[in-house]
Amino acid sequence: MKCVILAGGIGSRFWPYSRKNQPKQLLNIFGEESMLQITVNRLKKIKKISDIYIVTRKDLYQSIIKNIEGINIKNVIIEPSGKNTAPAIGMMAAYLALKNQDDVMCVFPADHYIVGHQKFQKAIYRADRIAKKGDNIVTIGIKPHYPSTAYGYIQYDENNQIESEGAFQVKAFAEKPHRKLAERFIESGDFLWNAGMFFWKVETFLSSMRMHMPELLDEVEKIAPKIDTGESFDELWEFIKPESIDYGLLEKADNIYVVPADFQWNDIGSWKALYDVFNSDRKGNIVRGHGTVMDGKGNLIHSKDRFTAVLGVDNVIVINTGDVALVVDKDKVEDIKNLVHYLNNNSLNELT
């Protein structure tokens, strides 16, 4: 398998700890290693993965090649600008096709939290087998433990299992639902959390692009030889329209299968997601760094350099980075990205 890690995001929902020049994937959120390094280490343990590539932004390239171990520098590919997931994945598929169209390509986010390596490896091996068996696009879905409104969902056909491989045909992809809809998803029993992990033979994926995203395919096939020779492809990249792989291809294809998995997973997409991972005290408070909570419950304090005290409030998240202090209701953390957008529009980019 040829593995591609998407590491170009800015992690705006993790602001102010995550900044443009030091986004979430480069932060040491769990222990002494960055989320990206943890992802690389996790994938290097899997014997079937022969090569690992990282796709990232120009301004993160130096940080990655200096700080991420276990990756060939030539395998760190610079994306000239953020165009969502479809162009990044498409250009890597076209690049890998120059070497061997029969290789299985797998795509992973750079910053997810995963516990249970044996179950994780088992799911990957199963996805690899199914991808090799035919013209199948395969994804991994996580068995949901509660009706989350923070994740996308995958609905699968329980009556359409591919042989005895423990994978089912996908019926639909669903965006992040509201609470009542999420509850209905869980009750139905045929929905999984969408973990954003994908597997396919390179040829299979390019054929799907030819059917559903032909204009993008034309552009990335021009770019692929330039990646191989190390030439700039900035001018070609400008012609590409931003689009997600979900909307552009996955929601339209009919050859998609999902492998249900039950390893512990969290996309660490927001401060509330981080709250769900760490252990709290008996009042539900979590303090990371220097701080304290008095007469309050369900709070998260993240304050490494300054002491932060919270008094008499419940269910708030307080992030203090020294130059910025953020106080937000736990149920409003998804709106932090709108706050970052507001700051940028009001010439406060130095804070983001």
Side-chain angles (χ1 to χ4, degrees):
M1 285 189 286
K2 309 296 183 182
C3 180
V4 175
I5 302 173
L6 302 179
I10 61 174
S12 59
R13 288 180 295 170
F14 232 68
W15 183 85
Y17 190 33
S18 176
R19 306 289 180 97
K20 187 177 180 181
N21 62 350
Q22 190 73 3
K24 181 179 64 170
Q25 61 268 28
L26 297 183
L27 298 177
N28 297 358
I29 296 173
F30 301 98
E32 299 301 315
E33 294 181 315
S34 69
M35 297 294 288
L36 178 56
Q37 185 67 67
I38 291 171
T39 300
V40 169
N41 294 347
R42 182 188 303 128
L43 296 173
K44 285 183 73 67
K45 291 180 183 177
I46 297 174
K47 293 179 180 178
K48 284 193 176 185
I49 293 177
S50 59
D51 289 298
I52 298 176
Y53 297 85
I54 296 174
V55 180
T56 192
R57 309 191 315 253
K58 281 183 180 179
D59 56 327
L60 298 182
Y61 177 77
Q62 290 298 328
S63 293
I64 287 176
I65 63 173
K66 287 179 182 178
N67 300 310
I68 302 301
E69 299 178 352
I71 294 291
N72 187 327
I73 293 177
K74 293 181 179 179
N75 286 7
V76 181
I77 311 299
I78 296 175
E79 185 182 28
S81 62
K83 299 274 189 177
N84 214 321
T85 52
I89 293 171
M91 77 171 182
M92 290 307 299
Y95 169 65
L96 293 174
L98 298 177
K99 302 179 181 183
N100 188 348
Q101 291 199 7
D102 290 327
D103 280 337
V104 171
M105 172 183 172
C106 48
V107 179
F108 291 91
D111 47 14
H112 287 188
Y113 172 82
I114 292 172
V115 177
H117 185 75
Q118 288 186 337
K119 290 181 178 180
F120 175 68
Q121 179 175 272
K122 182 180 178 181
I124 286 179
Y125 281 12
R126 181 169 292 168
D128 175 55
R129 288 197 303 271
I130 296 165
K132 284 177 178 173
K133 277 195 169 185
D135 295 329
N136 303 317
I137 293 175
V138 188
T139 185
I140 291 177
I142 309 299
K143 295 176 182 177
H145 308 297
Y146 60 93
S148 173
T149 58
Y151 302 143
Y153 285 75
I154 300 169
Q155 185 182 26
Y156 64 95
D157 186 349
E158 295 172 298
N159 299 315
N160 194 345
Q161 184 171 353
I162 185 167
E163 298 181 8
S164 59
E165 297 293 344
F168 302 86
Q169 187 159 30
V170 171
K171 292 172 69 175
F173 288 86
E175 299 294 329
K176 297 175 183 178
H178 55 72
R179 181 73 184 184
K180 289 185 178 179
L181 184 56
E183 290 173 353
R184 291 206 294 271
F185 285 172
I186 301 300
E187 289 171 4
S188 71
D190 60 350
F191 280 83
L192 302 166
W193 287 336
N194 185 353
M197 306 175 192
F198 306 108
F199 306 76
W200 45 63
K201 282 189 295 189
V202 173
E203 182 181 19
T204 297
F205 181 74
L206 294 179
S207 295
S208 290
M209 284 192 73
R210 192 166 290 111
M211 182 181 300
H212 302 293
M213 308 184 79
E215 291 182 4
L216 177 59
L217 179 62
D218 288 344
E219 296 300 330
V220 296
E221 286 186 331
K222 298 173 190 173
I223 288 171
K226 294 185 178 294
I227 297 175
D228 198 37
T229 57
E231 294 177 69
S232 170
F233 53 90
D234 291 21
E235 291 185 8
L236 290 171
W237 193 255
E238 289 180 8
F239 291 102
I240 291 177
K241 297 176 182 178
E243 193 157 16
S244 74
I245 196 66
D246 297 59
Y247 179 77
L249 192 149
L250 298 178
E251 292 179 6
K252 301 170 182 175
D254 58 5
N255 59 332
I256 305 180
Y257 292 84
V258 62
V259 173
D262 58 357
F263 50 82
Q264 188 178 343
W265 171 86
N266 191 310
D267 73 348
I268 311 298
S270 68
W271 286 107
K272 187 177 185 301
L274 192 63
Y275 177 89
D276 293 337
V277 169
F278 288 114
N279 294 323
S280 61
D281 65 18
R282 58 188 180 84
K283 292 187 177 180
N285 294 309
I286 299 172
V287 177
R288 289 175 55 78
H290 305 293
T292 190
V293 178
M294 180 180 292
D295 191 24
K297 60 181 183 294
N299 301 295
L300 168 65
I301 296 176
H302 181 93
S303 183
K304 288 198 170 183
D305 299 320
R306 302 288 180 90
F307 188 86
T308 301
V310 171
L311 173 62
V313 293
D314 301 332
N315 300 315
V316 299
I317 290 175
V318 181
I319 312 301
N320 194 333
T321 59
D323 63 333
V324 174
L326 170 71
V327 181
V328 58
D329 186 291
K330 199 190 295 179
D331 292 331
K332 295 286 186 180
V333 292
E334 294 291 325
D335 294 334
I336 292 176
K337 60 183 177 182
N338 298 329
L339 174 61
V340 171
H341 183 68
Y342 170 83
L343 294 173
N344 286 334
N345 284 347
N346 286 273
S347 301
L348 293 169
N349 322 54
E350 74 276 6
L351 298 177
T352 62

